[in-house]
Amino acid sequence: MKRYEKLFINGQWVAAEGTGWTTLINPATEAPVAEVINASQADVDKAVKAARAAFSSWSQTSSAERAEYIRKLQKALEARKEELAIAISQTMGCPIKWARIIQVNCVAAFAKFADRAAEMDVEKQVNNSLVVREPVGVCAFITPWNYPLYQLIGKVAPALAAGCTMVLKPASITPLQDLIFAECVEEIGLPAGVFNLLTGKGGELGDALVTHPEVDMVSFTGSTGTGARIQRLAADSIKRVCLELGGKSPLIITEDAPLAEAVRSGVRDVMINSGQTCICQTRMLVPRSRYEEAVVLAKQYAEEMPVGAIDDENTDIGPLSSLAQRETVLKYIRAGLEEGAKLVTGGVERPEGFDKGAYVRPTIFRDVHNKMTIAQEEIFGPVIAMIPYDTIEEAIEIANDSKYGLSSGVWAANKEEGLKIARRIRAGQCYVNGGDFNYDAPLGGYKQSGNGREWGDFGIHEFYEIKSIQL
Ligand code: NAP
């Protein structure tokens, strides 16, 4: 079994001060995949100091120079796409067919930030003042396991473009793509200290990173509970904090929407990546007049998605990312049953033929009321709650009756009707009639789903300060 025993600090692979190890587990087979060293708080200090030392020169590079490094990094990543897909598939359980598309295709979006580096050159003369943009400084990045490469790119690419330096700590169960990225950083000769990687446990390293006096900004993607803790800890030193957190997104299907298309798209949206997609639309709101028809369609579409081995090219639905996540999801399915929701398909039994691994049957509940636990809490598993409604006003009210506001969807008779409803949903995104995911559009949450925006032109705005120079 491969052992990753070094950390990437100050442009070099160095021995960790930490001594513990994390064993990465393939959640489909429960077999160990690799062992990775756990950094210690002393390593946090080393990495942050390296990023601080690199900041003075990196922040003064031209946007053209930074763009060139970003393009080189993208090429280096492109060359290793299959390796990245396998690494992600084996550690978090995304079927390989889907890993290539939804986990790794984001590499192409990396280069977009090469062009966006020029955003830093934008200046404005206001009366006697010159208003300029400057990089925010040393950034600490903490990322989750569900789309681990996408999370890396959404933070690292704009930070590089802006002229920031950084320390990245990925989820402890999925660090392999980050280690590959660090190898690419070394290969293209990014100046030492600009990018530093610490593997290890968030519970052990998080506080040291977030409270370090030399860290200027923390960007965190993960659960709302951990995000709230990070925000509290960072408050003492008034760091900028960008939080990309959980969601419980609604999909409103209107009375005159193309029902089969809408339900099929809604089911697939949740089931791909086994429901571990922060923006997936897990509350399906259906007009009462079409509810029974929608339930039949939802059952059919969920059951026709093959559950299988992650290296089988036919598999649509793999395991959850870990046995612990499986337990969490089963707990929610039990809660749904206890609170009176009825199973359309799925449930707590293992899918047929899978007596091990973190597999959960694709599950759809009917007769769900929006106040039930399964409609209010983020499950992060392949579970859909079908909620009936009587009027479109009621549907919008139910959609907005959530502590979260990350994403949403509408299926209507046409885009114009869908857009009218989209404007009334309190969420950072809305997908109308199955609109495609767009790497050039900002992503972020309202309410307890977070407070920043990643991706697109807005992605870089998080990473600069604004200075007024009075002349
Ligand atoms: P999590 O438990 O909050 O973990 C996320 C990251 O935080 C991991 O790197 C974790 O390290 C680290 N961490 C854990 N405890 C910490 C602490 N006390 N201080 C600092 N860092 C700590 O979340 P998760 O369960 O891995 O991820 C799923 C969540 O992420 C879901 O709620 C999902 O909606 C959200 N998410 C949001 C977006 C978005 O764009 N809004 C995107 C993707 C995912 P360890 O791995 O070592 O525990």
Side-chain angles (χ1 to χ4, degrees):
M1 186 169 42
K2 192 155 178 185
R3 289 191 117 203
Y4 295 86
E5 51 193 14
K6 298 209 165 150
L7 306 170
F8 190 71
I9 297 177
N10 206 22
Q12 291 178 329
W13 292 98
V14 298
E17 305 269 344
T19 50
W21 294 83
T22 298
T23 304
L24 311 186
I25 303 289
N26 179 329
T29 60
E30 300 182 30
V33 175
E35 279 188 313
V36 181
I37 192 78
N38 292 337
S40 69
Q41 296 189 5
D43 295 310
V44 169
D45 191 50
K46 241 194 236 176
V48 172
K49 283 184 173 149
R52 172 56 61 196
F55 182 69
S56 51
S57 55
W58 180 249
S59 60
Q60 296 305 311
T61 51
S62 69
S63 58
E65 274 172 86
R66 296 195 299 278
E68 196 47 35
Y69 281 116
I70 291 171
R71 288 195 190 97
K72 283 186 187 160
L73 269 170
Q74 195 243 343
K75 271 198 196 128
L77 282 173
E78 285 284 349
R80 299 183 71 175
K81 270 173 93 171
E82 185 61 13
E83 198 185 335
L84 286 162
I86 293 169
I88 295 170
S89 179
Q90 289 191 345
T91 50
M92 65 77 62
C94 185
I96 188 68
K97 171 179 84 175
W98 285 106
R100 291 191 190 105
I101 303 166
I102 60 174
Q103 297 284 356
V104 173
N105 272 351
C106 56
V107 165
F110 201 95
K112 300 277 185 88
F113 286 97
D115 302 331
R116 293 188 182 116
E119 286 263 319
M120 294 302 289
D121 302 332
V122 172
E123 296 184 349
K124 196 171 176 190
Q125 188 81 41
V126 184
N127 302 332
N128 65 319
S129 301
L130 182 67
V131 180
V132 300
R133 299 173 176 189
E134 295 184 349
V136 71
V138 174
C139 304
F141 295 147
I142 302 176
T143 54
W145 40 259
N146 61 333
Y147 287 90
L149 182 64
Y150 166 89
Q151 307 300 344
L152 177 158
I153 293 177
K155 297 185 193 306
V156 170
L160 288 174
C164 295
T165 59
M166 63 212 77
V167 177
L168 168 64
K169 194 221 79 73
S172 49
I173 63 169
T174 55
L176 294 186
Q177 63 294 319
D178 302 76
L179 287 156
I180 293 172
F181 180 80
E183 287 169 10
C184 294
V185 165
E186 187 185 29
E187 178 191 321
I188 66 135
L190 190 73
V194 172
F195 172 85
N196 304 275
L197 176 67
L198 298 174
T199 50
K201 308 272 185 204
E204 291 164 18
L205 305 179
D207 289 14
L209 258 177
V210 170
T211 58
H212 199 293
E214 294 291 353
V215 168
D216 299 295
M217 172 185 177
V218 180
S219 178
F220 169 80
T221 301
S223 59
T224 296
T226 310
R229 178 185 160 83
I230 285 175
Q231 183 145 14
R232 282 194 296 274
L233 284 173
D236 281 344
S237 50
I238 322 290
K239 293 185 200 320
R240 182 178 296 187
V241 178
C242 178
L243 299 173
E244 302 291 340
L245 309 175
K248 189 74 195 177
S249 302
L251 168 63
I252 298 180
I253 300 176
T254 65
E255 185 108 40
D256 48 4
L259 192 68
E261 216 182 327
V263 172
R264 182 170 190 273
S265 150
V267 168
R268 293 184 71 81
D269 172 67
V270 174
M271 297 307 173
I272 297 299
N273 216 36
S274 296
Q276 303 163 120
T277 301
C278 55
I279 55 174
C280 68
Q281 296 150 23
T282 48
R283 290 184 293 146
M284 187 182 282
L285 278 51
V286 184
R288 207 174 293 278
S289 60
R290 306 198 71 184
Y291 193 72
E292 294 306 325
E293 201 186 337
V295 163
V296 171
L297 288 166
K299 177 176 165 67
Q300 176 196 329
Y301 293 135
E303 290 177 358
E304 72 187 23
M305 294 181 78
V307 177
I310 55 175
D311 53 359
D312 182 339
E313 298 281 345
N314 286 321
T315 298
D316 271 337
I317 304 179
L320 292 167
S321 59
S322 65
L323 292 172
Q325 187 62 17
R326 178 174 186 272
E327 281 312 311
T328 304
V329 172
L330 292 182
K331 188 191 79 187
Y332 278 115
I333 296 177
R334 284 187 205 105
L337 292 168
E338 278 158 22
E339 291 178 23
K342 305 221 166 45
L343 283 174
V344 172
T345 186
V348 290
E349 296 80 22
R350 285 180 163 279
E352 232 170 273
F354 293 90
D355 54 1
K356 68 172 165 187
Y359 286 90
V360 170
R361 295 171 70 192
T363 296
I364 297 181
F365 278 108
R366 60 168 296 160
D367 301 340
V368 179
H369 188 279
N370 200 49
K371 295 295 180 204
M372 288 180 180
T373 305
I374 56 167
Q376 286 293 322
E377 293 186 19
E378 184 182 48
I379 299 175
F380 232 48
V383 183
I384 294 175
M386 295 186 73
I387 304 174
Y389 71 84
D390 289 308
T391 64
I392 199 68
E393 287 305 315
E394 186 195 358
I396 293 168
E397 206 174 295
I398 295 171
N400 288 330
D401 177 20
S402 171
K403 67 181 175 186
Y404 294 114
L406 186 57
S407 189
S408 59
V410 178
W411 267 91
N414 54 54
K415 279 189 192 151
E416 293 65 37
E417 288 306 306
L419 188 56
K420 282 186 205 157
I421 299 169
R423 290 186 193 279
R424 297 183 59 193
I425 301 178
R426 301 274 304 154
Q429 289 202 326
C430 188
Y431 292 81
V432 174
N433 287 14
D436 283 339
F437 184 81
N438 180 0
Y439 290 109
D440 292 327
L443 192 153
Y446 285 23
K447 302 188 260 181
Q448 291 188 29
S449 289
N451 62 10
R453 291 295 176 271
E454 292 188 332
W455 299 94
D457 291 348
F458 285 92
I460 199 169
H461 294 185
E462 302 289 336
F463 291 95
Y464 60 73
E465 295 279 13
I466 292 180
K467 180 187 273 180
S468 299
I469 304 169
Q470 278 57 247
L471 299 162

